[in-house]
Amino acid sequence: MSRSTRRGALAAATVALALTAAACSSSDDGSAGSPTSSSGSGTGAFQSQHKGGTLKLVAHAAAGSFDPQVNYTLQYWQLYQSMYDGLLAFKKVNGQASFTVVPDLATALPKITNGGKTYTFTLRKGITFSNGKALTTDDVVASFQRIFKVSSPTAGTFYNGIVGADACLKKPASCTLKGGVTGDAKANTVTINLTAADPEFQYKLAVPHAVVVPKDSPTKDAGTKPLPTTGPYMAASYDPNRALKLVRNPHFKEWSREAEPAGYPDAIDYTFGQTVESEVTAVENGQADWMFDAPPADRLNEMGTKYASQVHVNPLTAFWYATLNVNMAPFNNKLARQAINWAVDRAAVVRLYGGTNLASPACTILPAGFPGHVDSCDYTKGGGTTWKAADLAKAKALVKQSGTAGQEVGIVVQDDDVNKSIGQYLQSLLTQLGYKAKLKPLSGNIQFTYIQNTKNKVQLALTSWYQDYPAASDFLNVLLSCASFHPGSDSSINISGYCDKGVDAKMHAALKTAETDEKSANQQWGAIDQQIMAQSPVVPLINPKLIDFTSTRVGNYQFSKQFYMLVSQLWVK
């Protein structure tokens, strides 16, 4: 899922090998172990004997705004699953079934008419926000308008097909979505009209940017002032420099175990500002129950042996990549961009990330096993369909041919260990290629928005992308379409600034094909991936796996492939 601040596992290969499949629980097949219990399916009856206690989470940094229609990070999207609700939701279960869309605030999946362009929902009755106000159709309509008013990062890609969206994108403050989203209070229904059929629209309605908040919510980024919720938890306080505290929503009553199951902990305390070393120690000592960040290299051996039953390793549909600003020197020169792709030793990045147990080299934007992925590698020594080795000589020749040698290049990374180590490698590599490279580490709390804003003149940035939902467009259209590039905005997810009208037309054609022929559409997406890679606006580095390290107090560990560990379903009592 999104998308932004993500977790990996940093380690030297010599110690990462301790984290083998035999030593850790894993959910590659959709199951996930727990140190104190077998995992539930997520849809069984609530087990009241496990209710209670305070779940303690730790992280090096917060993830910025807590506004669910603005924030685009796994760190908070993971929490929003038990706080905010949309008309639809992804099923809160283990494994592959977590990609299934189910009714949430709606009583059933929508009635789709008008050639796939009209969606009609009936709202559930009796749902109340955490501020005590009843949910109404007016809240739903206002929430869709708010997506545009707050300039949500996906307004122009996920929701631009709603009737009236074009006007909202041009003038967000006056957005009405006239004819696009309407409510009928008497019938308790909401109707959404699209300009064209969209086979992925139900996925888009199930992610946090489409959640429903009160109609009187501010029409600008709420920032550190959490909005009222409908789910089992609400935020009692949030200080991005210190901590986030979630408590039970006193008005919540479970209406669907699949969409929004009741939570087990009475409270969830999330503390920021720790080092990753102290995070590991806190989990080992039972002072914390889970750590968000990548475990450091010098701790993986003990985690994989002494604490093996508390380690969970899960493969991800994601990639880490470098963005190359196609609108600034030196990377406004295609040859210079291609040189970086040829030069990067992806095996070295894998080693920095934690070794082959925790990552594999990436050659394409679409991850292996993902819809539309084609085994292809334009930038590997000797050629072939998978990455084998870098070709530094070819890269140096391209830099010389481009005439860009000697230019300054800033590399913006997050300041945690894993990102800094990969950033230092990239700095060394660019220096070898003849550039004057400078590393610019920033707090994870601000780096992702910083690298999106063209005003900051970021030439090269290290970032990552984790699926929002299982469709090729969620990588290619979201990350590299013209609609995702918004100069001067903190919400410009097309960080490279790549906009090719011809490629855009092919993306629209693939989306159209998907309405009737998903297989053919995926073939089109695979070709688009290869066409973009030939232009080299990004440098795919690795496809990661994720480590969850939990305390011995924790039971009922469940891993959703869609939103990762189900925080609210952990037992701490």
Side-chain angles (χ1 to χ4, degrees):
M1 78 215 38
S2 76
R3 312 10 76 184
S4 52
T5 304
R6 293 293 182 202
R7 288 187 298 144
L10 168 69
T14 53
V15 294
L17 293 176
L19 289 176
T20 62
C24 313
S25 64
S26 172
S27 60
D28 193 16
D29 61 352
S31 63
S34 166
T36 58
S37 70
S38 59
S39 297
S41 68
T43 56
F46 185 81
Q47 300 183 52
S48 58
Q49 70 271 26
H50 294 293
K51 179 182 177 181
T54 297
L55 181 68
K56 299 177 181 179
L57 316 178
V58 289
H60 175 65
S65 169
F66 204 67
D67 191 321
Q69 293 191 311
V70 173
N71 190 280
Y72 209 178
T73 72
L74 167 68
Q75 190 169 356
Y76 288 166
W77 277 36
Q78 195 171 22
L79 297 181
Y80 294 157
Q81 300 313 300
S82 55
M83 298 180 69
Y84 297 99
D85 297 278
L87 294 169
L88 305 177
F90 286 95
K91 190 182 291 188
K92 307 298 191 299
V93 292
N94 277 321
Q96 199 69 23
S98 62
F99 288 146
T100 304
V101 173
V102 295
D104 191 356
L105 296 179
T107 59
L109 292 176
K111 179 181 180 183
I112 304 175
T113 55
N114 189 27
K117 294 188 290 185
T118 297
Y119 289 66
T120 304
F121 299 87
T122 300
L123 289 187
R124 296 182 192 271
K125 295 181 179 179
I127 295 179
T128 305
F129 287 107
S130 55
N131 62 3
K133 295 182 179 180
L135 173 78
T136 69
T137 58
D138 287 345
D139 296 307
V140 180
V141 174
S143 293
F144 277 94
Q145 295 170 353
R146 187 175 186 273
I147 292 172
F148 297 90
K149 290 180 178 180
V150 300
S151 296
S152 180
T154 52
T157 51
F158 284 13
Y159 311 107
N160 60 333
I162 299 174
V163 169
D166 284 350
C168 291
L169 289 168
K170 292 175 183 176
K171 295 183 178 180
S174 59
C175 176
T176 63
L177 289 177
K178 184 178 180 181
V181 182
T182 57
D184 183 332
K186 186 174 182 179
N188 205 33
T189 60
V190 172
T191 300
I192 301 175
N193 290 305
L194 305 180
T195 57
D198 181 355
E200 298 171 9
F201 193 60
Q202 291 191 60
Y203 287 146
K204 297 169 184 176
L205 293 179
V207 299
H209 287 164
V211 299
V212 177
V213 293
K215 61 184 178 182
D216 58 357
S217 296
T219 54
K220 61 180 181 179
D221 184 350
T224 60
K225 297 180 179 179
L227 300 175
T229 67
T230 46
Y233 295 97
M234 63 182 190
S237 61
Y238 177 45
D239 179 348
N241 295 312
R242 299 182 59 190
L244 167 69
K245 185 177 183 65
L246 304 184
V247 296
R248 291 193 182 277
N249 170 4
H251 300 284
F252 174 79
K253 294 180 181 179
E254 185 181 274
W255 60 80
S256 168
R257 291 257 339 133
E258 289 188 334
E260 189 62 287
Y264 285 102
D266 283 337
I268 300 172
D269 287 349
Y270 208 149
T271 305
F272 311 121
Q274 300 207 27
T275 66
V276 289
E277 289 280 356
S278 65
E279 288 178 52
V280 174
T281 300
V283 174
E284 289 179 350
N285 293 341
Q287 297 165 316
D289 298 310
W290 174 82
M291 60 181 287
F292 173 79
D293 299 289
D298 61 354
R299 305 301 290 273
L300 286 179
N301 188 48
E302 67 190 72
M303 288 170 58
T305 53
K306 187 176 180 180
Y307 300 93
S309 65
Q310 296 166 232
V311 177
H312 314 264
V313 181
N314 298 279
L316 305 175
T317 45
F319 82 137
W320 282 49
Y321 66 107
T323 64
L324 305 177
N325 191 331
V326 302
N327 300 309
M328 280 187 67
F331 301 124
N332 56 354
N333 188 308
K334 183 174 73 171
L335 298 179
R337 300 196 302 268
Q338 291 175 333
I340 307 302
N341 255 307
W342 280 109
V344 168
D345 183 347
R346 288 157 172 83
V349 180
V350 167
R351 288 193 294 273
L352 290 169
Y353 190 81
T356 55
N357 286 328
L358 299 178
S360 58
C363 258
T364 56
I365 299 162
L366 297 173
F370 201 69
H373 171 82
V374 175
D375 286 339
S376 173
C377 198
D378 287 344
Y379 306 102
T380 186
K381 193 171 186 177
T385 57
T386 57
W387 189 86
K388 295 187 283 293
D391 194 330
L392 199 57
K394 189 175 185 69
K396 289 180 177 179
L398 286 170
V399 171
K400 184 177 180 180
Q401 187 181 347
S402 72
T404 59
Q407 294 186 18
E408 295 184 354
V409 178
I411 303 170
V412 183
V413 302
Q414 291 184 30
D415 65 355
D416 60 275
D417 290 344
V418 63
N419 280 276
K420 278 202 299 187
S421 67
I422 297 174
Q424 288 164 353
Y425 163 72
L426 292 173
Q427 180 185 18
S428 174
L429 182 65
L430 264 68
T431 300
Q432 290 183 62
L433 293 176
Y435 294 110
K436 297 175 182 177
K438 182 179 180 181
L439 189 64
K440 301 178 180 180
L442 295 177
S443 167
N445 195 34
I446 63 171
Q447 190 258 5
F448 188 59
T449 52
Y450 181 89
I451 63 177
Q452 292 183 69
N453 198 319
T454 55
K455 293 178 181 178
N456 296 320
K457 301 184 185 304
V458 175
Q459 295 159 290
L460 190 157
L462 176 64
T463 189
S464 53
W465 189 256
Y466 294 57
Q467 66 152 76
D468 295 299
Y469 53 81
S473 64
D474 185 51
F475 279 76
L476 298 171
N477 188 46
V478 171
L479 296 181
L480 293 156
S481 68
C482 298
S484 292
F485 181 49
H486 308 289
S489 168
D490 284 350
S491 298
S492 183
I493 196 64
N494 183 344
I495 300 165
S496 296
Y498 174 82
C499 176
D500 185 307
K501 298 294 185 181
V503 170
D504 251 36
K506 291 183 178 180
M507 289 188 189
H508 290 303
L511 289 167
K512 182 67 176 177
T513 301
E515 295 174 18
T516 55
D517 189 344
E518 186 176 353
K519 183 177 180 180
S520 294
N522 284 335
Q523 292 174 343
Q524 290 175 256
W525 286 116
I528 292 168
D529 189 347
Q530 293 174 70
Q531 184 174 350
I532 293 174
M533 283 308 304
Q535 296 295 316
S536 194
V538 297
V539 184
L541 298 171
I542 59 170
N543 297 123
K545 296 181 183 179
L546 180 143
I547 290 178
D548 278 324
F549 186 40
T550 56
S551 76
T552 55
R553 296 198 324 142
V554 168
N556 201 40
Y557 176 90
Q558 298 175 40
F559 187 84
S560 156
K561 285 182 176 290
Q562 177 62 30
F563 290 116
Y564 304 175
M565 184 182 74
L566 298 178
V567 175
S568 71
Q569 297 307 293
L570 294 176
W571 300 337
V572 289
K573 181 181 178 182

